[in-house]
Amino acid sequence: FVSGSAQYASGIAKSQIALRKATQVKDADGMVNQAASVKAYNQAMRAATQVTKDFNIPQELAIRGMTRLGAAVIGAGGNVTNATRAFTNVLAAIKGTAGGTEDAKAAITALVQIYSKGRVSAEELSGQLGERFPAAVTQFQKANKHIYATTADLQDALKKGTVGLREL
């Protein structure tokens, strides 16, 4: 038991180190802004802690997921606020439709892939995310009804590769 607890605590500590690196904020000159980095890290940790508490996501998984998504979102030109919003909302949707831990991991992987590509594709939205959250496509269309009047319009834009991260 003691060995298992120590390994679990070590895993969480390693995940926190990775999250600290993933949420570093750099100034225009490329130097790390310590105050902004601490603020970003704390915001990301609050999101990970909140999903652990609210959605029963294991803490290490939550921190690792927030790290991966944070790095992808920041790499795509977003910020930690964008990452925590996407992280929390997708996990709420997964848990709201009776999804489990594996579904949560797969949904985060789909989001990481979307942000890493810089656009939303049918493969991730309809496929990977849609398998875990069946209403993903219809909810995405409703959230963007000012752009895509129908689900068919959204599907057409997904095929053309014109759905951007702003819509996500």
Side-chain angles (χ1 to χ4, degrees):
F1 174 76
V2 172
S3 174
S5 295
Q7 286 177 344
Y8 184 74
S10 173
I12 289 173
K14 287 178 188 175
S15 296
Q16 289 171 328
I17 291 167
L19 181 60
R20 194 174 309 279
K21 282 294 228 186
T23 56
Q24 279 187 342
V25 177
K26 295 186 179 177
D27 293 327
D29 61 1
M31 298 298 294
V32 174
N33 180 324
Q34 291 297 331
S37 295
V38 167
K39 184 178 177 184
Y41 169 78
N42 288 337
Q43 182 180 2
M45 272 305 296
R46 277 192 305 275
T49 301
Q50 197 65 42
V51 300
T52 296
K53 187 172 113 181
D54 292 348
F55 309 131
N56 199 27
I57 302 291
Q59 186 177 19
E60 187 177 0
L61 174 69
I63 297 169
R64 221 176 318 124
M66 189 65 235
T67 301
R68 291 177 60 228
L69 186 57
V73 171
I74 291 167
N79 56 43
V80 173
T81 299
N82 302 135
T84 58
R85 185 175 297 134
F87 182 73
T88 304
N89 288 334
V90 164
L91 291 179
I94 297 300
K95 286 300 189 167
T97 55
T101 301
E102 289 304 313
D103 295 319
K105 282 173 56 175
I108 294 303
T109 296
L111 282 179
V112 168
Q113 290 173 352
I114 289 169
Y115 278 100
S116 294
K117 287 181 179 179
R119 64 179 174 79
V120 181
S121 71
E123 177 187 346
E124 282 91 16
L125 185 63
S126 300
Q128 293 174 318
L129 200 51
E131 285 177 21
R132 278 36 181 199
F133 175 49
V137 175
T138 55
Q139 290 301 312
F140 189 93
Q141 182 271 322
K142 284 180 187 177
N144 292 287
K145 63 184 171 196
H146 60 286
I147 302 171
Y148 312 108
T150 66
T151 304
D153 293 337
L154 172 59
Q155 292 288 3
D156 186 47
L158 287 168
K159 286 178 189 169
K160 291 178 183 174
T162 59
V163 181
L165 297 178
R166 292 180 62 87
E167 291 86 4
L168 185 62

